[in-house]
Amino acid sequence: MDKIIIQGGNVLSGTIEASGAKNAALPLLAASILVDGPVTYHRIPHLKDISTMMTLLAWQGADVAYDDQYCLHVDTRPASKSEAPYELVKTMRASSLVLGPLLARFGEAKVSLPGGCAIGARPIDMHLKGLEAMGAEIEVEQGDIIARAPNGLSGAHIVFDQVTVTGTENLMMAAVLAKGVTVLDNAAREPEIVNLAESLRGLGAKIEGDGSNSIRIEGVDRLESGEMTTIGDRIEAATYLAAGLITGGDVTVTQIDPSMLEAFLARVRDTGALVETGEDYIRCKAQGRLKAVDIHTLPHPGFPTDLQAQFLALMTLADGTSVIRETIFENRFMHVQELARMGARIRLDGNTAVVTGQEKISGAPVMATDLRASASLVLAGLAATGETTISRVYHIDRGYERIEEKLSRLGARIERHSASENWVQGAR
């Protein structure tokens, strides 16, 4: 099992480019199931979850091939299997995204309940209720969702009990080929949903209202072949900006739309750091020790839950006490125990973490527990005195492309050690 080893204490500075967003690319790839022809994808990141989705599409019978490093061609016309088995999707939460497209295309689907990070239940009951409202028959048997719509899906008015990103994406894709009009109320507003809607419109879908809490989809008979481009990864970009801040540095991330990170950047400004933005870049520069700032996570456009762990790591070295409240997932403070091993002073009370900042933390062996928690440990290791060894880094590979390479370009002393390398070194 790979490990990441960091020698802390270097100030990070420089410019790097944001990769394509994993959370945008996954629904775009799932949408290929709906298209009557080949689709060319641009800016597809090389990540474990992306590889899993590609493997799933190929297993179903689709033609999947890279044209160059980030350009992918997918043609699902040869696909004949309407399943997503556990063996293929057990590590990927986004596997549920193929449920709506498979049902819309084949009239049936069998999808294993998703796996992935252990940050909370993330129930998909709202996906299932929405599909039932559109005429599907749903059963759950031995960990599989079995859905049937022998007469096809029909438009419906669906009101989500709570905001759900994947639920909004799933039902929006299902509605694209349904008969009639579907309205999704209390819909998620994330930039990744807008990216999906714009991409589907480019192939002939009729979608209105994306970016608001009410989305209207008028079903069409078919989607034409075409192209889709993934937006920049706002979570990756913010993580690298935070890496600069926690080390007292000055980092610029390009190929990213600053409007997608307004809540995060507002809190960064509150810490006293300099924030500079342009059409497609963000610069953050530390100006002395950061001030403690409170945050609470909310659906977009609020503070992203996917940046809670990274911001909490920032606050471990801030001047003062900060209160971090998590309102999206019930089990998203697993990084706290590992940060405490590095000397961080954090008190947990239910869904709230109280962080008392101090002037330094120390390197230590720590273990990643989920994707964003692993990023927070990397940030802490960059700022800590001494050496930090992070194990179970397969979590970070699900969402960060070549993280050690990008951080090294900014001046970090960070290396990946593979399991085979560790064994050989130990045998000498």
Side-chain angles (χ1 to χ4, degrees):
M1 193 176 296
D2 288 5
K3 296 181 179 180
I4 286 178
I5 299 177
I6 303 170
Q7 305 296 333
N10 279 19
V11 175
L12 270 59
S13 62
T15 300
I16 56 174
E17 182 177 312
S19 298
K22 178 198 78 153
N23 290 340
L26 287 170
L28 292 184
L29 289 171
S32 68
I33 297 169
L34 301 168
V35 184
D36 187 17
V39 180
T40 299
Y41 291 93
H42 301 283
R43 208 177 178 188
I44 296 294
H46 289 265
L47 300 167
K48 178 60 178 174
D49 279 7
I50 299 297
S51 297
T52 300
M53 182 65 82
M54 290 169 57
T55 300
L56 173 60
L57 293 172
W59 178 86
Q60 291 170 343
D63 293 330
V64 181
Y66 272 104
D67 182 40
D68 60 31
Q69 189 175 11
Y70 297 108
C71 181
L72 182 68
H73 298 287
V74 180
D75 188 346
T76 63
R77 285 177 298 179
S80 59
K81 298 176 183 176
S82 58
E83 298 183 31
Y86 178 74
E87 291 74 19
L88 291 180
V89 302
K90 60 185 177 182
T91 63
M92 184 178 67
R93 284 284 183 180
S95 60
S96 58
L97 285 170
V98 301
L99 179 60
L102 287 174
L103 189 58
R105 173 173 170 175
F106 293 104
E108 60 181 16
K110 182 179 180 181
V111 177
S112 178
L113 288 167
C117 290
I119 60 172
R122 292 207 246 193
I124 64 168
D125 59 318
M126 287 183 287
H127 304 223
L128 305 185
K129 289 179 182 177
L131 291 172
E132 285 178 328
M134 297 173 71
E137 301 169 358
I138 307 286
E139 299 177 47
V140 178
E141 295 181 359
Q142 298 181 324
D144 292 325
I145 302 165
I146 300 173
R148 299 181 181 88
N151 299 317
L153 296 173
S154 299
H157 184 189
I158 299 165
V159 181
F160 292 110
D161 295 336
Q162 61 189 66
V163 176
T164 164
V165 176
T166 56
T168 301
E169 292 166 338
N170 212 347
L171 296 183
M172 184 166 67
M173 287 188 284
V176 163
L177 296 183
K179 304 181 188 74
V181 174
T182 299
V183 176
L184 306 177
D185 277 334
N186 198 26
R189 300 165 58 187
E190 270 69 8
E192 294 78 13
I193 288 172
V194 175
N195 190 199
L196 175 61
E198 290 177 342
S199 299
L200 289 171
R201 275 196 295 269
L203 305 183
K206 296 181 179 180
I207 303 172
E208 300 174 353
D210 45 292
S212 75
N213 59 9
S214 184
I215 301 176
R216 183 182 186 275
I217 308 104
E218 181 180 347
V220 297
D221 292 334
R222 63 193 296 267
L223 295 183
E224 304 285 348
S225 61
E227 300 186 4
M228 299 190 189
T229 300
T230 307
I231 58 174
D233 193 325
R234 60 195 173 106
I235 306 302
E236 182 209 40
T239 300
Y240 291 130
L241 293 169
L245 292 171
I246 201 170
T247 61
D250 182 355
V251 168
T252 299
V253 179
T254 62
Q255 299 300 303
I256 191 69
D257 180 355
S259 68
M260 298 192 298
L261 282 167
E262 288 181 349
F264 169 79
L265 295 177
R267 299 287 79 74
V268 169
R269 289 188 179 95
D270 291 343
T271 70
L274 169 71
V275 176
E276 178 185 308
T277 62
E279 184 178 348
D280 66 347
Y281 77 89
I282 305 171
R283 176 192 178 198
C284 289
K285 179 183 179 181
Q287 300 187 117
R289 189 178 177 191
L290 301 180
K291 301 173 186 176
V293 173
D294 298 342
I295 64 165
H296 66 277
T297 62
L298 288 170
H300 191 79
F303 194 96
T305 181
D306 279 354
L307 288 174
Q308 176 258 108
Q310 298 91 311
F311 202 88
L312 190 150
L314 274 183
M315 294 298 96
T316 63
L317 292 169
D319 182 12
T321 299
S322 56
V323 178
I324 312 293
R325 189 158 66 93
E326 173 60 54
T327 69
I328 308 298
F329 294 120
E330 73 276 11
N331 195 25
R332 206 163 201 179
F333 280 127
M334 291 187 289
H335 47 286
V336 166
Q337 182 176 354
E338 300 303 302
L339 290 170
R341 289 176 50 80
M342 303 177 72
R345 296 173 62 189
I346 308 168
R347 177 173 56 84
L348 285 180
D349 182 12
N351 69 339
T352 301
V354 180
V355 186
T356 302
Q358 48 196 341
E359 293 189 0
K360 69 175 183 177
I361 54 177
S362 301
V366 292
M367 181 175 66
T369 53
D370 64 68
L371 170 55
R372 305 308 173 185
S374 62
S376 75
L377 300 180
V378 170
L379 295 183
L382 293 170
T385 58
E387 181 176 282
T388 297
T389 300
I390 305 172
S391 59
R392 296 178 69 183
V393 298
Y394 57 85
H395 284 295
I396 208 164
D397 293 334
R398 291 183 48 243
Y400 291 89
E401 185 178 39
R402 309 186 321 275
I403 188 170
E404 62 271 22
E405 178 185 322
K406 287 190 173 183
L407 288 172
S408 293
R409 296 210 312 260
L410 296 174
R413 291 181 292 172
I414 178 172
E415 295 180 349
R416 178 183 293 260
H417 288 203
S418 71
S420 58
E421 288 172 348
N422 294 335
W423 183 87
V424 170
Q425 290 169 358
R428 289 174 180 168

